[in-house]
């Protein structure tokens, strides 16, 4: 619920310009997780085993460059989502409940966000991919069993929330800059 | 020899000691320590169960009694369990085993088992084996991903690496009251939970929280063994058994679905959530047990059903149902069976015929039944049918319904029309009901109406009526009976004729009493006495009582003498006339007539027209026009008159006569009243109409009489007063009115003349005075509404006898110079009353002017004196005026004579 509140607050703040996929994705990530994977513990710190990491730049990149980097991170997140789906289906079987429907929606909207960001910043010199960027060959949580899989899924979703949030901010900046340029 | 003996002794001693030793060795014990013990101990585990195997030492073979092995289980060096295993002599030498299930997962901490033998109070030393707990670099919770039954008590442990501080353990979705945490060792904590609820989602999380906050955990699948009931087995194809059951969720849907096995077969027949499966069997006529085994990770359940499958045939529905022969009023249906054995069974099939929302079911029997004929269908009509069947013997279940089949019957001539008549304004209206779609059997092209007098049946008049008209008005001689026949025509031909005899308009025939009726629930419940003349039943028709209407009717069979009359046209508050006719071979006979409302409504206010009131003495009667039926939206049962005076006191007077047109409020008092009349109906008092009136003390006539009497009394009183006044001041009046008339003086001396006049003036006789001039007042318009009595001219008789011949030229007195105007003011009489009684009259005054007395009459000054003295009175036009020289003489002194008034002959002396 705390995440949901945060997501909703941000959505209200930015809903005028947001790309269609983002906030719904963000909200769904939060709500779906809290519904299905209900835990009573607090947010655990993000661990290095789940990360849509970016290569660090030496200096502050331009907004277009930031969006390209964002695109790359989201692509990795998409790969992780694919991985989550694979592992969950391996564990539970292929089910068709509400959770599975929401999970599919998150994946579709993330793909849509990737297409949107690609359209925004792709240039002749830069080609952006929208396919999942992950091999899905890592251990979820060692010998953690089903609980380990749940924890790992949770971390993937946290990562996705983080990058979706980051996307909202960066795209807003891009939108503002482009508007200013058009006015000039 | 002694040496030999000594050596022999030593040998014997040696032999004895050897025997003793060998005896000791044979018992396996040496000074309390048993030499028979265990060897080759092996400690293994399976889940949370530890399994120990061992063998006896070779020395144990000499044991001839039961050998006991004592076992102790130590969990984290704490003695947790003790057990004994008895080994009989015949078991010695074999491998022994023992197992025990720990309440803890073996990963949690070390589990040691030590073993020793005991024989006749001698025990062997302990022999120990240990299963070490898990050494981990990160915290772990055990057991992981395990299944637990709801209701069991389970211990979970959290194993910590060295240096990590334990926080707490708990299960998600559980309250702390159900949990108890204990410390097993430095690195192991245990949580014991009574599992009282199944996992809600995928699994229940068992959490180990560290300090600082980091969580680790495991999943626990908490659920139930299979919960399966209501097993029922049957056959559908007579070649296999099919079993059905009901299943309750065991809360283990993902990881461990319930598996079902039929008839102990190793192959899985079904998995949850399926609730049926079938298996090929030989179906014969004998009872058998049909067993279903349901199992999941938490247990196994067996159910069985005993049945003879030949008595439990649940057929498949018919396939390929077709309408093979479709006619106007019947149709043949055919179908096939997918199971060949059905053709050998005695079957019952139901055909459900759906007809515009109405369903009828017909049953058909036969061996291997695969056709059915449906009769009594409506021509030109679309039907929808579906079929289901079962075995005729040993009813078990109906098959499901087959797929729907539609067919449309062929057309036919229309049904006979429902005809009735209405006689209005010397016109006979033949009316018939619109043929419904299921009566017309095709598009109606037209209607044909023929009519003739009953006495001239051979002469038939004929006309056609368009298909959208449903009545025909005929101007016929209503004094004779007519026969009218109506037929409908469609593409298939004409309907059978429908005939009605129009009765002659003999008033005697239609004279029946009209009763009142009230409807209920939007309809009239009408009943009547049976009539022997009603050979073909009864007809009830109805219409609004007022205005033009299209009659509606209902035909009732002869054996029925009541009917519930309903029409979508019925309106509350509208009066209907309902007539019951006997249907005869000839003209219908009116039996009964009723008037009523299907629902009464309150009559609107202002019901009473020409509403007026009249005071009658101390009563007040209000009246109104008779109330027309059109105004009545409910039966009027009477009227109530409410009298509300200004003290808000309400009195009412009522009548139960609905025909009343007046009501009287009696014994009222003087004052204003508001009279309100309301009609009393079954739905309350309504139609209020009001009038406000003031009741006077008397009626107008009485007032008039009263006024007259008062006026007369006043006049009489005034006259009396005047008389009295005049009597008392007679002398003065006389002097004023009749001044001494000077005797004509011819030529005389001055001294005689004046004295003589003086004397005459003062000694006038009364008789002379009475001869006063007459004042004639012609009738004029009344002033201020007051009229002199009887319109008589006011007469003031003052005409002096002797002065008729006096000229009027100079002495014609103006009306206001009348003494009557001046005298009252002097004599104290109110002048105003006189002024009022005199109209603006013209006076025919005949008088001699000499009687005016200058000192009494007001001085008349033209234009000014009038205003002052007569209060607006305007005299007639005068060209000449009197001028009196007013003297200052004493009023009591004799009247002075003024020369200008009376012309005296001038003496020569003057």
């Amino acid at each position: 619920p705390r995440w949901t509140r945060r997501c909703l607050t941000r959505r209200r703040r930015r809903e005028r310009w947001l790309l269609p996929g983002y906030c719904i994705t963000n909200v769904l990530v939060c709500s779906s997780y809290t519904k299905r994977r209900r835990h009573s513990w607090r947010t655990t710190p993000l661990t290095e085993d789940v990360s849509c990491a970016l290569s660090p730049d030496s200096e502050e990149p331009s907004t277009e460059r930031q969006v390209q980097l964002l695109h790359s991170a989201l692509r990795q997140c998409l790969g992780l989502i694919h991985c989550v789906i694979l592992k969950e289906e391996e564990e539970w079987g292929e089910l068709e409940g509400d959770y599975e429907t929401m999970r599919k929606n998150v994946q579709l909207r993330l793909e849509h966000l990737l297409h949107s960001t690609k359209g925004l910043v792709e240039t002749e010199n830069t080609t952006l991919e929208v396919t999942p960027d992950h091999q899905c060959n890592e251990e979820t949580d060692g010998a953690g069993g089903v609980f380990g899989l749940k924890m790992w899924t949770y971390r993937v979703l946290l990562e996705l929330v983080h990058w979706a949030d980051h996307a909202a901010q960066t795209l807003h900046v891009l939108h503002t800059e482009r508007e200013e340029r058009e006015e000039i | 020899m002694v040496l030999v003996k000594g050596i022999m002794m030593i040998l014997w001693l040696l032999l004895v000691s050897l025997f003793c030793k060998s005896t000791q060795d044979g018992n396996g014990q040496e000074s309390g320590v048993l030499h028979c013990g265990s060897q080759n101990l092996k400690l293994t585990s399976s889940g949370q169960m530890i399994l120990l195997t061992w063998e006896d030492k070779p020395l144990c073979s000499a044991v001839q009694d039961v050998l006991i092995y004592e076992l102790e289980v130590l969990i984290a060096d704490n003695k947790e369990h003790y057990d004994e295993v008895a080994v009989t002599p015949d078991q010695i030498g074999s491998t022994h085993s023992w197992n025990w299930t720990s309440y803890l997962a073996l990963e949690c901490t070390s589990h040691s088992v030590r073993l020793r033998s005991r024989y006749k109070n001698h025990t062997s030393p302990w022999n120990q084996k240990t299963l070490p707990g898990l050494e981990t670099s990160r915290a772990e919770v055990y057991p992981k991903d395990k299944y637990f039954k709801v209701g069991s008590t389970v211990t979970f442990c959290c194993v910590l690496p060295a240096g990590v501080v334990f926080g707490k353990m708990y299960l998600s979705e559980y309250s702390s009251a159900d949990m108890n945490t204990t410390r097993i060792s430095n690195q192991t904590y245990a949580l014991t939970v009574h599992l009282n609820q199944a996992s809600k989602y995928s699994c229940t999380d068992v959490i180990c929280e560290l300090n600082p906050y980091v969580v680790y955990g495991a999943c626990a699948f908490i659920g139930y063994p299979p919960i399966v009931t209501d097993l029922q087995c049957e056959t559908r194809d007579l070649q296999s058994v099919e079993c059905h059951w009901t299943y309750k969720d065991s809360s283990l849907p993902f990881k461990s679905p319930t598996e079902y096995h039929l008839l102990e077969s190793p192959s899985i027949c079904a998995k949850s959530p399926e609730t049926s499966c079938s298996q090929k069997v030989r179906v014969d006529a004998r009872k058998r047990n049909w067993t279903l085994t349901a199992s999941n990770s938490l247990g196994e359940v067996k159910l069985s059903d005993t049945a003879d499958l030949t008595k439990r045939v649940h057929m498949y529905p018919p396939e390929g149902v077709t309408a093979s022969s479709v006619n106007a009023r019947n149709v043949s249906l055919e179908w096939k069976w997918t199971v060949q054995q059905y053709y050998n069974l005695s079957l019952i099939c139901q055909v459900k015929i759906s007809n515009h929302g109405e369903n009828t079911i017909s049953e058909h029997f036969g061996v291997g039944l695969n056709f059915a004929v449906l009769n009594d269908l409506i021509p030109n009509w679309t039907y929808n049918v579906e079929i289901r069947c079962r075995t005729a013997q040993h009813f078990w279940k109906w098959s499901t319904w087959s797929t729907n089949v539609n067919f449309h019957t062929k057309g036919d001539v229309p049904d006979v029309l429902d005809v009735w008549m209405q006689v209005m304004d010397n016109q006979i209206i033949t009316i018939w009901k619109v043929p419904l779609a299921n009566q017309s059997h095709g598009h109606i092209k037209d209607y044909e109406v023929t009519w003739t007098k009953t006495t001239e049946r051979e002469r038939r008049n004929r006309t056609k009526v368009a298909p959208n008209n449903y009545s025909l008005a005929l101007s016929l001689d209503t004094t004779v009976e007519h026969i009218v026949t109506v037929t409908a025509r469609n593409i298939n031909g004409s309907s059978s004729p429908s005939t009605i005899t129009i009765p002659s308009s003999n008033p005697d025939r239609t004279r029946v009493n009209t009763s009142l009726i009230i409807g209920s629930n939007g309809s009239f419940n009408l009943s009547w006495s049976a009539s022997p003349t009603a050979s073909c039943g009864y007809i009830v028709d109805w219409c609004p009582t007022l205005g033009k209407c299209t009659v509606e009717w209902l035909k009732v069979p002869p054996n029925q003498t009541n009917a519930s009359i309903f029409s979508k046209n019925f309106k509350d508050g509208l009066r209907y006339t309902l007539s019951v006719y006997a249907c005869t071979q000839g003209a219908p006979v009116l039996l009964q007539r009723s008037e009523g409302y299907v629902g009464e409504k309150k009559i609107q206010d202002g019901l009473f027209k020409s509403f007026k009131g009249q005071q009658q003495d101390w009563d007040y009667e209000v009246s109104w026009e008779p109330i027309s039926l059109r105004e009545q939206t409910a039966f009027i049962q009477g009227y109530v008159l409410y009298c509300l005076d200004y003290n808000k006191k309400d009195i009412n007077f009522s009548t139960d006569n609905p025909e009343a047109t007046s009501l009287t409020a009696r014994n009222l008092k003087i004052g204003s009243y508001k009279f309100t009349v309301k009609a009393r109906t079954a739905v309350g008092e309504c139609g209020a109409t009001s009038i406000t009136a003031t009741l006077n003390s008397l009626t107008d006539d009485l007032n008039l009489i009263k006024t007259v009497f008062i006026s007369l009394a006043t006049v009489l009183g005034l006259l009396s007063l005047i008389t009295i006044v005049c009597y008392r001041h007679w002398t003065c009046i006389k002097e004023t009115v009749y001044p001494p008339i000077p005797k004509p003086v011819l030529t005389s001396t001055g001294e005689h003349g004046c004295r003589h006049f003086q004397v005459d003036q003062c000694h006038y006789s009364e008789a002379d005075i009475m001869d006063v001039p007459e004042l004639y007042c012609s009738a004029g318009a009344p002033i201020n509404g007051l009229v002199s009595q009887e319109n008589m001219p006011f007469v003031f008789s003052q005409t002096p006898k002797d002065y008729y011949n006096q000229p009027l030229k100079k002495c014609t007195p103006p009306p206001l110079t009348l003494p009557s105007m001046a005298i009252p003011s002097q004599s104290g009489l109110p002048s105003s009353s006189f002024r009022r009684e005199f109209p603006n009259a013209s006076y025919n005054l005949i008088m001699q002017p000499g009687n005016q007395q200058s000192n009494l009459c007001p001085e008349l000054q033209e234009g000014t004196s009038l205003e002052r003295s007569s209060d607006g009175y305007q005299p007639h036009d005068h060209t000449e005026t009197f001028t009196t020289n007013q003297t200052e003489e004493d009023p009591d002194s004799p009247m002075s004579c003024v020369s200008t008034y009376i012309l005296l002959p001038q003496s020569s002396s003057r």
Side-chain angles (χ1 to χ4, degrees):
Chain A
R2 188 174 57 186
W3 308 319
T4 310
R5 279 201 299 276
R6 191 181 65 183
C7 297
L8 288 172
T9 308
R10 286 183 179 146
R11 185 174 71 160
R12 282 188 211 107
R13 206 161 55 220
R14 303 189 180 100
E15 61 191 355
R16 280 185 299 173
W17 71 273
L18 273 178
L19 291 171
Y22 159 63
C23 227
I24 299 165
T25 307
N26 203 354
V27 170
L28 272 180
V29 166
C30 302
S31 61
S32 64
Y33 183 80
T34 50
K35 275 184 184 172
R36 177 65 187 271
R37 302 285 183 253
R38 189 176 295 170
H39 292 284
S40 52
W41 65 79
R42 296 189 295 272
T43 310
T44 51
L46 288 175
T47 51
E48 290 181 358
D49 60 338
V50 178
S51 175
C52 312
L54 299 174
S55 55
D57 275 342
S58 55
E59 58 187 42
E60 180 72 19
S62 68
T63 309
E64 273 80 3
R65 177 61 188 151
Q66 282 185 35
V67 175
Q68 285 172 4
L69 294 171
L70 179 68
H71 180 91
S72 174
L74 290 172
R75 206 176 142 218
Q76 288 183 49
C77 286
L78 182 63
L80 284 168
I81 291 289
H82 272 266
C83 205
V84 164
I85 292 170
L86 276 176
K87 287 184 184 295
E88 285 188 340
E89 286 182 350
E90 196 179 298
E91 182 65 36
W92 309 109
E94 290 187 21
L95 303 171
E96 293 178 350
D98 291 343
Y99 172 74
E100 286 73 22
T101 306
M102 284 191 280
R103 191 177 64 186
K104 187 72 180 168
N105 284 339
V106 169
Q107 181 192 351
L108 290 173
R109 288 167 187 178
L110 183 55
E111 284 171 359
H112 182 80
L113 182 60
L114 279 168
H115 279 96
S116 302
T117 48
K118 179 189 172 188
L120 281 170
V121 292
E122 195 173 48
T123 61
E124 289 178 356
N125 302 326
T126 314
T127 306
L128 298 176
E129 296 292 333
V130 291
T131 51
D133 184 15
H134 205 276
Q135 297 303 312
C136 199
N137 52 4
E138 63 190 71
E139 283 294 321
T140 54
D141 200 6
V146 178
F147 186 82
L149 174 60
K150 288 163 78 171
M151 286 292 285
W152 183 75
T153 305
Y154 168 63
R155 289 181 191 128
V156 168
L157 294 175
L158 277 185
E159 195 71 19
L160 179 59
V161 169
H162 169 78
W163 286 107
D165 199 11
H166 192 58
Q169 295 172 25
T170 311
L171 290 172
H172 179 62
V173 173
L174 179 72
H175 179 76
T176 311
E177 285 181 2
R178 288 190 173 178
E179 269 191 346
E180 285 171 358
R181 257 180 266 161
E182 281 174 11
E183 283 174 9
I184 293 166
Chain B
M1 220 20 221
V2 173
L3 181 65
V4 171
K5 280 186 178 177
I7 292 169
M8 287 297 287
M9 281 295 287
I10 290 167
L11 284 171
W12 279 110
L13 286 169
L14 188 63
L15 280 169
V16 167
S17 65
L18 278 172
F19 176 77
C20 290
K21 188 172 187 322
S22 67
T23 305
Q24 275 185 341
D25 288 348
N27 291 334
Q29 57 189 30
E30 191 177 286
S31 59
V33 177
L34 187 63
H35 295 285
C36 168
S38 59
Q39 63 178 9
N40 298 330
L41 268 68
K42 284 184 184 173
L43 185 61
T44 56
S45 66
S46 172
Q48 287 181 213
M49 188 179 74
I50 52 177
L51 177 68
L52 180 71
T53 58
W54 71 94
E55 293 172 357
D56 305 312
K57 283 184 176 175
L59 281 175
C60 298
S61 58
V63 174
Q64 294 171 346
D65 203 350
V66 175
L67 179 68
I68 304 295
Y69 280 104
E70 296 178 347
L71 297 105
E72 278 185 1
V73 180
L74 296 95
I75 294 178
D77 300 330
N78 297 315
K79 191 175 169 183
E80 184 64 36
H81 183 68
Y82 171 82
D83 204 355
E84 290 183 349
V85 175
V87 177
T88 55
D90 59 309
Q91 292 173 328
I92 288 176
S94 62
T95 302
H96 310 296
S97 67
W98 170 88
N99 65 62
W100 178 72
T101 301
S102 172
Y103 68 94
L104 268 181
L106 300 181
E107 295 92 341
C108 294
T109 188
S110 64
H111 284 70
S112 300
V113 181
R114 59 183 187 177
L115 174 75
R116 70 179 180 182
S117 61
R118 190 181 76 232
Y119 185 75
K120 293 181 179 173
N121 297 325
H122 295 281
T123 55
S124 68
W126 288 107
N127 200 354
Q128 181 170 323
K129 282 287 181 182
T130 298
L131 287 173
L134 187 77
E135 286 190 8
T136 176
S137 59
R138 49 181 276 179
E140 295 284 0
V141 175
Y142 292 101
K144 288 184 187 297
D145 305 342
K146 201 175 170 188
Y147 294 87
F148 302 100
K149 284 183 188 176
V150 173
S152 58
T153 301
V154 179
T155 302
F156 296 94
C157 71
C158 182
V159 184
L160 305 175
V164 172
V165 180
F166 176 77
K168 62 180 177 181
M169 278 188 83
Y170 55 90
L171 259 69
S172 59
E173 304 158 19
Y174 274 71
S175 74
S176 57
D178 300 323
M179 299 182 280
N180 180 33
T181 307
T182 54
R183 183 170 173 272
I184 304 291
S185 68
N186 284 341
Q187 259 65 53
T188 304
Y189 291 83
L191 173 75
T192 303
V193 193
H194 178 70
L195 303 176
N196 54 15
Q197 51 184 307
S199 301
K200 285 182 184 169
Y201 301 99
S202 55
C203 57
T204 304
D205 296 317
V206 185
I207 307 297
C208 179
E209 191 176 302
L210 305 184
N211 195 6
Y213 178 79
V214 180
V215 293
Y216 295 88
C219 255
F221 296 92
I222 305 165
Y224 300 90
I227 304 167
V228 181
T229 53
D230 306 330
L231 178 69
Q232 206 173 63
C233 296
E234 63 192 17
T235 183
R236 306 209 66 174
D237 56 2
L238 299 159
Q239 292 176 327
S240 61
V241 61
E242 185 175 297
C243 294
H244 300 259
W245 58 88
T246 53
Y247 161 79
K248 188 182 171 188
D249 180 21
S250 66
S251 295
L252 301 172
F254 303 130
K255 296 284 282 185
S256 178
T258 301
E259 294 175 352
Y260 299 95
H261 301 261
L262 202 56
L263 305 175
E264 311 285 352
S265 168
S267 61
I268 296 170
C269 188
K271 277 187 178 182
S272 60
E274 296 169 341
T275 56
S276 71
C277 74
S278 67
Q279 192 168 312
K280 287 278 181 190
V281 292
R282 176 190 168 84
V283 175
D284 47 16
R286 67 184 175 95
K287 277 192 173 181
R288 274 188 64 181
N289 270 343
W290 307 97
T291 307
L292 178 78
T293 306
S295 61
N296 68 10
S297 300
L298 295 175
E300 181 181 285
V301 171
K302 280 191 179 179
L303 288 93
S304 66
D305 181 28
T306 304
D308 174 357
L309 290 187
T310 58
K311 296 178 181 175
R312 287 192 178 181
V313 179
H314 183 195
M315 296 180 70
Y316 288 113
E319 287 285 325
V321 181
T322 53
S324 56
S325 170
V326 180
N327 300 310
R329 296 178 189 270
N330 58 62
V331 69
S332 293
L333 300 173
E334 289 181 3
W335 60 88
K336 293 174 185 171
W337 294 116
T338 51
V339 176
Q340 285 302 309
Q341 282 89 334
Y342 290 174
Y343 286 104
N344 303 321
L345 296 176
S346 180
L347 303 176
I348 299 176
C349 290
Q350 286 186 335
V351 180
K352 183 163 76 177
I353 307 160
S354 301
N355 163 18
H356 290 72
E358 286 184 11
N359 293 331
T360 52
I361 287 179
S362 62
E363 288 200 341
H364 306 263
F365 305 85
V367 175
L369 188 69
N370 65 340
F371 72 94
V373 176
L374 306 180
N375 294 311
D376 301 326
L377 302 179
I378 301 167
N380 190 36
W381 202 247
T382 299
Y383 287 94
N384 179 285
V385 294
E386 47 189 354
I387 304 166
R388 67 178 182 179
C389 299
R390 66 172 176 88
T391 52
Q393 291 180 317
H394 312 302
F395 171 65
W396 173 239
K397 286 177 184 174
W398 285 103
S399 70
T400 53
W401 290 103
S402 68
T403 52
N404 287 322
V405 174
N406 289 315
F407 61 85
H408 191 87
T409 52
K410 292 180 178 172
D412 202 351
V413 296
D415 285 352
V416 177
L417 293 170
D418 186 356
V419 178
W420 186 235
M421 52 86 194
Q422 188 179 11
V423 180
M424 285 177 68
D425 304 333
N426 293 325
Q427 272 199 328
I428 293 166
I429 299 170
T430 307
I431 186 167
W432 54 95
K433 287 187 177 166
V434 182
L436 303 175
N438 60 357
Q439 295 168 331
S440 61
H441 310 327
H443 177 66
I444 299 287
K445 292 165 75 175
D446 55 33
Y447 300 96
E448 187 178 73
V449 182
T450 63
W451 66 95
T452 182
K453 291 177 184 173
T454 50
T455 52
E456 300 172 0
R457 294 197 177 208
E458 66 281 0
R459 284 185 58 196
R460 283 192 170 271
N461 301 294
R462 193 178 301 270
T463 188
K464 287 196 186 312
V465 177
N468 53 347
N469 289 335
Y470 308 103
S471 64
L472 180 68
L474 298 168
S475 297
L476 301 176
D477 179 5
T478 56
T479 58
V480 293
E481 285 188 351
H482 285 80
I483 295 175
V484 180
T485 303
V486 187
T487 56
R489 206 159 60 91
N490 68 7
I491 195 169
N492 302 299
S494 293
S495 67
S496 299
S498 185
T499 302
I500 186 164
T501 304
I502 313 294
S504 58
S505 60
N506 183 352
D508 293 337
R509 294 183 61 176
T510 57
R511 193 169 293 161
V512 292
N513 290 330
T514 300
S515 58
L516 303 182
I517 187 170
I518 294 289
S520 62
N521 299 324
S523 63
F524 290 105
N525 290 315
L526 202 62
S527 61
W528 57 89
S529 303
S531 170
T533 58
S535 57
C536 51
Y538 302 90
I539 301 112
V540 182
D541 78 3
W542 62 91
C543 221
T545 305
L546 293 173
K548 282 194 171 183
C549 75
T550 303
V551 71
E552 295 178 81
W553 69 96
L554 176 72
K555 290 187 174 170
V556 180
N559 57 351
Q560 193 176 325
T561 56
N562 58 65
S564 179
I565 310 297
F566 176 78
S567 168
K568 62 181 180 352
N569 298 322
F570 278 152
K571 288 177 185 168
D572 285 347
L574 186 60
R575 185 177 286 206
Y576 291 92
T577 301
L578 299 99
S579 308
V580 180
Y581 294 85
C583 172
T584 67
Q585 294 305 315
V589 178
L590 177 63
L591 299 177
Q592 176 180 314
R593 185 159 278 167
S594 308
E595 280 187 13
Y597 300 89
V598 71
E600 292 181 283
K601 274 170 73 175
K602 280 203 164 187
I603 302 171
Q604 289 188 340
D605 287 349
L607 168 69
F608 301 92
K609 308 298 178 200
S610 302
F611 192 66
K612 58 191 175 188
Q614 188 178 8
Q615 182 179 351
Q616 296 172 343
D617 296 337
W618 298 110
D619 301 339
Y620 195 86
E621 184 193 59
V622 290
S623 60
W624 57 87
E625 280 182 1
I627 293 164
S628 72
L629 282 181
R630 199 178 298 278
E631 306 287 342
Q632 296 182 29
T633 56
F635 284 124
I636 294 177
Q637 297 164 347
Y639 303 95
V640 187
L641 169 62
Y642 290 94
C643 312
L644 182 70
D645 64 13
Y646 282 97
N647 296 324
K648 303 293 180 191
K649 189 180 174 185
D650 208 353
I651 317 161
N652 65 65
F653 304 89
S654 63
T655 176
D656 292 333
N657 177 16
E659 307 294 331
T661 56
S662 68
L663 264 174
T664 303
R666 301 191 182 281
N667 300 324
L668 302 178
K669 295 174 181 174
I670 296 170
S672 290
Y673 287 89
K674 183 181 180 185
F675 296 95
T676 303
V677 178
K678 292 181 181 178
R680 283 201 291 110
T681 69
V683 288
E685 293 178 355
C686 46
T689 309
S690 299
I691 191 172
T692 304
T694 304
L695 263 67
N696 296 318
S697 60
L698 288 171
T699 59
D700 290 344
D701 291 343
L702 197 66
N703 282 338
L704 184 64
I705 293 165
K706 212 171 179 180
T707 309
V708 168
F709 273 108
I710 290 169
S711 304
L712 284 173
T714 308
V715 169
L716 207 62
L718 281 172
L719 286 174
S720 304
L721 195 66
I722 291 167
T723 307
I724 290 165
V725 170
C726 289
Y727 178 75
R728 290 185 66 181
H729 300 277
W730 182 246
T731 310
C732 185
I733 292 169
K734 195 171 69 177
E735 284 177 0
T736 306
V737 175
Y738 299 104
I741 301 168
K743 291 182 179 174
V745 179
L746 298 174
T747 48
S748 63
T749 58
E751 60 180 322
H752 289 284
C754 188
R755 273 188 68 190
H756 182 76
F757 176 71
Q758 190 75 24
V759 170
D760 285 346
Q761 188 182 25
C762 298
H763 295 94
Y764 248 158
S765 67
E766 189 175 343
D768 292 329
I769 293 170
M770 292 308 291
D771 289 330
V772 293
E774 285 182 1
L775 178 67
Y776 287 99
C777 176
S778 66
I783 295 173
N784 293 336
L786 292 175
V787 183
S788 61
Q789 286 182 34
E790 304 298 328
N791 289 331
M792 292 295 286
F794 186 82
V795 178
F796 199 87
S797 184
Q798 283 184 321
T799 310
K801 290 176 183 175
D802 304 331
Y803 274 75
Y804 286 114
N805 53 354
Q806 288 295 319
L808 280 171
K809 275 186 182 175
K810 290 189 74 175
C811 293
T812 302
L816 280 181
T817 59
L818 284 172
S820 59
M821 298 301 291
I823 290 167
S825 60
Q826 198 176 34
S827 61
L829 284 173
S831 61
S832 62
S833 65
F834 273 87
R835 283 201 304 272
R836 285 184 182 172
E837 286 186 14
F838 278 88
N840 187 10
S842 60
Y843 298 96
N844 298 321
L845 185 66
I846 305 168
M847 69 176 289
Q848 296 302 320
N851 58 353
Q852 292 293 339
Q853 217 169 16
S854 61
N855 59 335
L856 291 176
C857 297
E859 185 182 52
L860 280 176
Q861 294 295 333
E862 190 175 28
T864 56
S865 60
L866 280 173
E867 291 172 6
R868 189 173 65 244
S869 63
S870 64
D871 193 15
Y873 174 76
Q874 294 294 329
H876 286 250
D877 191 25
H878 292 278
T879 53
E880 294 177 52
T881 57
F882 285 104
T883 304
T884 55
N885 291 327
Q886 203 166 13
T887 59
E888 294 180 354
E889 288 177 275
D890 187 359
D892 292 330
S893 64
M895 179 189 265
S896 60
C897 295
V898 179
S899 60
T900 54
Y901 184 60
I902 298 171
L903 292 172
L904 295 175
Q906 285 186 344
S907 63
S908 55
S909 60
R910 291 179 76 180

